[in-house]
Amino acid sequence: MNQEYHLSINRAKKKHQRRLKSRIKQKKRRIREQKRAQQNNRFSRKAESELDGDFSLENAIQQWMPQNIINIISNENSQFSADNLFESSQNADGNFLVPKIFSIVENPEPSYKFIREVFGALLFQTHDEILMDYSLCQRVDLGAQVLLDIIQLDIISFYRNCRRHKKTRPKVRRIGGLNLNNEDVSKMLFSVGSPAIHNDDKRDFPDIIPYNLCVYERPASLDSTDASMQKDIDTTTLVDYVLDCLSRMDKFLTPEKLDDLCTVISEILINAEEHSSNQKRFSIGYFQETNGTEEHYGIFRLAILNFGDNIYSKFKDPDCPNKDIVKKMQQLSKDYTSRGLFKWKKFEEETLWTLYSLQEGVTTISKQLYKKRGNGSIRFIESFFNIRGSQAVDDISKMAILSGNTSIIFDGKYGIMDKLNDKGEKFQVMTFNDSGNIAELPDKNYVKFVKEDFPGTLISARILFNEDDFDNEI
């Protein structure tokens, strides 16, 4: 009897404790929900205040969209203008087929068309799901992928703001990819591409070492000394990354190749700063090792870009500080025009001026303010060729500059030439023709005007590190 009584009491206590725990959980849940509701109400009221009662998509974009996207879509002459993006967004069903070769350097027309369609669908929220179909894709260029990824990055940030109010909640619920059948494409995407950046779906591959997307935002008050220090820090970070990658292969660069690598990275970063009209600079890359039965080498892919004015528009600006260089460019344009060399949209003044900007002694910066500038472009081009070596030992390394409607490709066919000026002083030129004369047309396969404009400047490089780069005495 006593035993049954005690069991009954214990059961009652346990039941009471369970009820008490349940009530406590319910109370905590109600408190959390109340706090969440209060927080949502605060977010909602703040959103209403920021939008001033206008919940239209146009006003939300104006108030909440990151400045990069605002700058891109506000240019009425750009392929990424709001009107062009709206038109592109109407032509798709939510599934977007990635081109066979997704490269804005080698296959610009279909690649830019694909980016415009995705960009437009994201901006105007035409579908609940926006899916990129890689079923036909065999190769993805890092420059094209990072352009698409940065657009997505900013629009996802915009969506987060839109979720603060029920009237602006974004229609897009999912952004993703499907049919990733190509192994190399899959490796790139899941190491430094969209899944790794946006979906926290980063995967490890034994032959891939990623250099994650780095976004540097220059403070408005940063002076030239601080900017130089930041450039040195970023250069060291990137060079150390490459050296770490090579050390995993048990390989070490010769002192000469190390110096060339530092120059390539440093001067590309400086050029990205010099030609930028906004505060942000983006860099991304990855290193891939190949260890075959007879060869052991690595390929480093790097893309550094900014948005805003292109190189041509920086020189064309009436306020460009280097008036002497602009006068020389204008005179060269007159010469080309008089000989009928600007025609058929294959070579334009923009292309000529962008090519001219690569020559020694050319910079947008006033030499009174910065006397050491003006040979940076030719320096990193020369150092790139030094790393590359001859065609016999390296037919893989390649570099490209995209700025506005200009595309310039470096693969070793044309090199740097030494010339003499009127005073008998030696200087270097890169003219992409056999004469070494910039007054003559360059090879149209290497320097060209393209109808699709890049909304800023992109410098991308693919650099092979093989036996001729390594110090075998270490």
Side-chain angles (χ1 to χ4, degrees):
M1 182 72 177
N2 287 338
Q3 187 177 2
E4 290 180 3
Y5 171 78
H6 287 301
L7 288 172
S8 176
I9 292 295
N10 288 336
R11 282 196 296 268
K13 285 181 177 179
K14 289 179 180 179
K15 187 175 182 180
H16 174 72
Q17 288 172 347
R18 284 196 300 271
R19 286 178 178 173
L20 185 61
K21 287 180 180 180
S22 178
R23 288 174 185 168
I24 292 172
K25 285 181 179 179
Q26 289 175 3
K27 185 177 181 180
K28 288 181 177 179
R29 184 165 57 247
R30 284 196 302 270
I31 292 172
R32 285 197 302 270
E33 289 173 352
Q34 288 171 357
K35 287 182 177 180
R36 191 179 299 117
Q38 290 171 356
Q39 188 179 46
N40 288 340
N41 287 335
R42 285 198 299 272
F43 286 155
S44 183
R45 287 194 299 271
K46 187 178 180 183
E48 284 187 22
S49 174
E50 290 170 356
L51 294 176
D52 197 22
D54 180 356
F55 298 101
S56 66
L57 177 61
E58 292 79 5
N59 190 46
I61 290 173
Q62 198 64 38
Q63 298 299 325
W64 292 337
M65 185 67 75
Q67 194 60 43
N68 267 336
I69 301 295
I70 294 292
N71 291 342
I72 292 172
I73 66 178
S74 298
N75 184 351
E76 295 180 358
N77 299 318
S78 168
Q79 64 169 324
F80 296 119
S81 69
D83 288 342
N84 285 337
L85 292 177
F86 181 77
E87 183 179 344
S88 297
S89 70
Q90 307 305 303
N91 301 333
D93 60 1
N95 282 18
F96 302 90
L97 194 63
V98 184
K100 181 179 178 180
I101 305 298
F102 183 32
S103 170
I104 55 179
V105 175
E106 298 174 34
N107 194 26
E109 189 169 351
S111 297
Y112 275 121
K113 179 176 181 292
F114 166 72
I115 294 173
R116 280 196 307 273
E117 289 177 346
V118 175
F119 192 173
L122 290 168
L123 183 66
F124 294 105
Q125 303 174 38
T126 53
H127 303 88
D128 294 346
E129 291 189 331
I130 295 175
L131 302 175
M132 284 151 270
D133 184 352
Y134 287 83
S135 57
L136 299 180
C137 186
Q138 296 181 4
R139 182 157 56 85
V140 174
D141 181 68
L142 185 60
Q145 187 62 44
V146 72
L147 172 59
L148 179 61
D149 288 341
I150 292 171
I151 290 169
Q152 291 183 66
L153 189 68
D154 280 348
I155 290 186
I156 289 170
S157 172
F158 168 68
Y159 286 172
R160 282 196 291 270
N161 270 320
C162 290
R163 290 191 186 99
R164 295 184 296 159
H165 199 286
K166 62 182 180 181
K167 291 185 179 180
T168 56
R169 201 158 289 145
K171 179 181 178 181
V172 179
R173 292 184 287 106
R174 183 188 171 206
I175 305 169
L178 65 159
N179 297 322
L180 276 164
N181 304 322
N182 185 282
E183 183 181 7
D184 287 333
V185 172
S186 183
K187 283 181 178 180
M188 196 271 273
L189 288 175
F190 285 102
S191 58
V192 294
S194 297
I197 295 172
H198 307 308
N199 299 334
D200 198 25
D201 188 6
K202 189 171 184 177
R203 304 178 188 178
D204 293 328
F205 301 96
D207 59 331
I208 299 285
I209 305 172
Y211 179 78
N212 299 326
L213 179 65
C214 175
V215 183
Y216 168 64
E217 187 163 5
R218 184 177 69 249
S221 60
L222 194 69
D223 61 26
S224 59
T225 302
D226 290 335
S228 179
M229 288 176 61
Q230 183 61 50
K231 182 268 299 179
D232 290 341
I233 291 170
D234 293 344
T235 299
T236 301
T237 301
L238 255 173
V239 170
D240 285 347
Y241 159 80
V242 175
L243 297 180
D244 286 344
C245 294
L246 292 171
S247 68
R248 292 195 195 187
M249 299 169 52
D250 200 26
K251 301 290 185 181
F252 303 91
L253 291 179
T254 65
E256 295 78 14
K257 292 298 174 80
L258 176 57
D259 183 61
D260 286 325
L261 177 64
C262 292
T263 301
V264 168
I265 292 174
S266 173
E267 294 297 339
I268 288 177
L269 288 173
I270 289 177
N271 274 263
E273 294 275 342
E274 182 177 317
H275 296 300
S276 177
S277 58
N278 61 26
Q279 304 300 108
K280 285 189 176 181
R281 176 196 355 111
F282 303 86
S283 56
I284 193 169
Y286 67 99
F287 187 97
Q288 188 165 17
E289 178 184 3
T290 296
N291 193 0
T293 55
E294 296 182 0
E295 292 183 297
H296 189 195
Y297 60 87
I299 298 176
F300 174 44
R301 292 170 175 86
L302 173 67
I304 296 174
L305 64 154
N306 60 64
F307 297 112
D309 290 342
N310 55 56
I311 294 173
Y312 172 65
S313 59
K314 291 281 284 186
F315 282 103
K316 198 71 174 176
D317 188 335
D319 295 326
C320 178
N322 201 333
K323 304 297 183 186
D324 292 339
I325 289 296
V326 173
K327 286 180 182 178
K328 291 178 181 179
M329 288 179 164
Q330 291 170 341
Q331 185 57 48
L332 191 59
S333 289
K334 288 180 182 179
D335 179 53
Y336 266 70
T337 301
S338 67
R339 292 185 288 148
L341 299 181
F342 292 140
K343 54 186 178 180
W344 304 312
K345 285 291 182 184
K346 291 184 178 179
F347 195 80
E348 296 288 316
E349 181 180 79
E350 175 181 333
T351 324
L352 175 63
W353 284 32
T354 305
L355 174 61
Y356 194 90
S357 74
L358 304 180
Q359 313 309 311
E360 184 176 352
V362 179
T363 175
T364 56
I365 296 175
S366 169
K367 289 194 174 182
Q368 283 71 34
L369 297 177
Y370 198 359
K371 295 182 180 180
K372 293 182 180 180
R373 288 302 297 153
N375 61 352
S377 295
I378 209 76
R379 279 187 67 198
F380 80 72
I381 294 167
E382 182 179 38
S383 294
F384 169 76
F385 284 142
N386 288 342
I387 295 174
R388 186 182 183 278
S390 68
Q391 189 78 9
V393 297
D394 183 356
D395 59 356
I396 293 176
S397 294
K398 192 173 186 178
M399 184 167 64
I401 297 176
L402 298 182
S403 188
N405 294 93
T406 297
S407 172
I408 301 177
I409 299 170
F410 308 80
D411 69 358
K413 180 177 179 179
Y414 295 98
I416 294 172
M417 294 185 180
D418 292 330
K419 304 286 285 186
L420 295 177
N421 62 19
D422 296 337
K423 299 178 181 179
E425 299 168 335
K426 188 170 73 172
F427 68 100
Q428 293 179 310
V429 295
M430 180 80 201
T431 60
F432 293 91
N433 55 35
D434 294 330
S435 66
N437 187 355
I438 201 165
E440 301 297 330
L441 279 171
D443 188 327
K444 63 182 179 181
N445 294 315
Y446 289 82
V447 182
K448 51 191 168 184
F449 181 92
V450 289
K451 67 177 183 179
E452 302 86 8
D453 60 296
F454 185 86
T457 299
L458 163 71
I459 301 177
S460 63
R462 181 177 68 217
I463 302 175
L464 171 70
F465 292 103
N466 58 6
E467 286 304 322
D468 76 309
D469 302 308
F470 300 144
D471 192 337
N472 296 316
E473 296 181 3
I474 295 180

